[in-house]
Amino acid sequence: MSQRVTLLRPDDWHLHLRDGAVLRAVCPESARHFGRAIIMPNLVPPVVTGAEAEAYRARILAARPPGSGFTPLMTLYLTEDTDPEDVARAHASGLVTAVKLYPAGATTNSASGVRDFDRVRGVLEKMAEIGCPLCVHGEVTDPEVDIFDREAAFIDRVLDPIRRATPGLRVVMEHLTTQDGVEYVKTSRDGTLGATITTHHLIINRNHLLVGGIRPHYYCLPVAKREEHRLALRAAATSGDARFFLGTDSAPHTDANKESACGCAGCFTATNTLPLLAHVFEEEGALDRLEGFASRHGPAFYGLPENTDRIALTRGATPTAFPARIETEDGPVTVFDPGFEVYWRVDG
Ligand code: DOR
Ligand code: ZN
């Protein structure tokens, strides 16, 4: 029996589109289903200034399929030299939606990120004043801290002190991976803290990454944690709590860069995210809450209108065939394989 659900068109509140050949190949994958996406600025070199964001936005618009209404919501990459006035101008003009904080060395292309959080005080205060949200890669980089503990340590050592010191600053904890993160987000009752959750962190735990052979296409940062954390993320995403919303963190790397002795972090999920989410929400008996997670909670946090058109997902009688990889002029990019059959597909 086929089953159908319709949703207000979803948005992706955390997306990597890259640049050049990869941008041209992956942009249509997100534009097909999503209305808007928060675009990560970790290019090489990073998107630091308003002028750089404007130029990058033009390259994204040019990579959309003809007739696409997909809207990139730009972010600036926070550095210790970021000029608060540049942020304020770019935000006031509507060019930039948020600023992204990468602790230096935490992940892909984060070398220009922040080492000394005191040096970005002025920018954070300006952002609180003008209502510009801060998107946070929440992992400490202290080599003494185990990689599986880095999110929890970040909350105590960095995030909570920043939020206490900067009242009113609106923060999104990006790609939450732990129960500790879920619990911390739930302590916020004043609308200043939200969190994105990726599709892949609802599906894989660290066993999927490491048992029976290392699976480079399941390696991402923050790295997938124990099963109890995956279950906490599932509970949060499917709870209807508006503090949690979809940010796929779809992060394309070519297969050559993933299947390597030092493989890059990132799962590429843009192509099949919505059918996978329908599968997860159905498993949790929460299909009626998918629209909140994918289409309503994000705009509410960012103070933007919801999309007005709708998409439909159908559960067919036979498994949906997704492409195994997307071809780019730089080489193939493997599409995230959940490891089980998915019967959902997006209509049209
Ligand atoms: O897995 C990830 N990939 N995590 C990040 O934080 C960065 C991203 C990327 O840019 O590849
Ligand atoms: Zn990311």
Side-chain angles (χ1 to χ4, degrees):
M1 192 186 65
S2 81
Q3 193 185 347
R4 193 162 182 269
V5 291
T6 74
L7 311 175
L8 286 174
R9 184 173 294 283
D11 302 304
D12 185 347
W13 299 96
H14 182 130
L15 176 64
H16 298 268
L17 286 179
R18 316 297 189 205
D19 214 341
V22 174
L23 167 63
R24 288 192 291 278
V26 303
C27 184
E29 298 301 298
S30 290
R32 187 175 300 131
H33 300 144
F34 291 97
R36 297 164 288 194
I38 288 272
I39 308 298
M40 287 298 123
N42 63 333
L43 304 182
V44 191
V47 180
V48 174
T49 65
E52 287 160 358
E54 190 163 16
Y56 184 32
R57 182 171 181 276
R59 299 198 294 281
I60 295 168
L61 294 178
R64 296 182 308 176
S68 169
F70 176 68
T71 303
L73 303 174
M74 306 308 291
T75 61
L76 297 180
Y77 184 118
L78 182 61
T79 74
E80 293 179 6
D81 300 319
T82 292
D83 173 5
E85 293 310 320
D86 185 55
V87 172
R89 267 193 307 276
H91 186 254
S93 73
L95 169 68
V96 155
T97 302
V99 170
K100 176 71 188 248
L101 165 63
Y102 287 104
T107 186
T108 314
N109 304 336
S110 61
S112 321
V114 178
R115 283 188 173 73
D116 178 355
F117 293 93
D118 286 338
R119 296 194 55 178
V120 295
R121 286 261 76 225
V123 186
L124 299 182
E125 278 162 14
K126 175 57 83 175
M127 289 169 58
E129 181 192 320
I130 64 177
C132 178
L134 179 71
C135 297
V136 172
H137 183 108
E139 288 189 288
V140 294
T141 53
D142 180 348
E144 307 269 296
V145 178
D146 188 274
I147 191 165
F148 292 100
D149 299 332
R150 288 180 173 200
E151 182 172 289
F154 184 87
I155 295 169
D156 294 339
R157 292 193 194 175
V158 182
L159 183 57
D160 198 56
I162 285 181
R163 292 185 61 242
R164 286 177 194 278
T166 327
L169 180 67
R170 314 191 64 241
V171 174
V172 184
M173 275 192 82
E174 302 284 4
H175 40 52
L176 219 52
T177 60
T178 59
Q179 183 159 22
D180 314 64
V182 168
E183 280 164 13
Y184 182 67
V185 171
K186 286 191 187 164
T187 63
S188 156
R189 301 192 192 283
D190 62 359
T192 60
L193 185 60
T196 56
I197 299 177
T198 76
T199 306
H200 50 281
H201 286 112
L202 296 174
I203 293 174
I204 58 168
N205 64 30
R206 65 193 200 179
N207 278 9
H208 295 98
L209 170 67
L210 295 169
V211 172
I214 188 160
R215 311 288 157 101
H217 297 288
Y218 287 168
Y219 174 59
C220 64
L221 288 171
V223 70
K225 308 294 193 297
R226 288 175 179 274
E227 177 65 357
E228 67 207 47
H229 295 290
R230 186 185 73 102
L231 295 178
L233 297 172
R234 279 199 170 214
T238 60
S239 66
D241 185 330
R243 291 171 289 199
F244 301 99
F245 42 93
L246 174 62
T248 66
D249 197 13
S250 179
H253 293 280
T254 61
D255 287 354
N257 285 331
K258 292 287 291 175
E259 299 167 9
S260 137
C262 185
C264 294
C267 297
F268 177 66
T269 56
T271 304
N272 54 2
T273 270
L274 290 170
L276 296 184
L277 286 174
H279 180 103
V280 167
F281 276 65
E282 183 184 34
E283 275 184 349
E284 299 294 328
L287 268 176
D288 57 331
R289 296 186 173 159
L290 179 55
E291 184 177 61
F293 180 69
S295 316
R296 305 185 83 123
H297 302 166
F301 182 87
Y302 276 95
L304 294 169
E306 292 171 354
N307 294 319
T308 50
D309 60 332
R310 303 185 77 79
I311 65 160
L313 286 143
T314 302
R315 187 194 205 286
T318 53
T320 309
F322 300 108
R325 55 192 64 80
I326 300 297
E327 299 299 334
T328 87
E329 287 164 27
D330 290 348
V333 170
T334 288
V335 175
F336 179 79
D337 174 0
F340 48 74
E341 304 280 24
V342 175
Y343 291 79
W344 290 93
R345 60 182 155 72
V346 182
D347 293 350

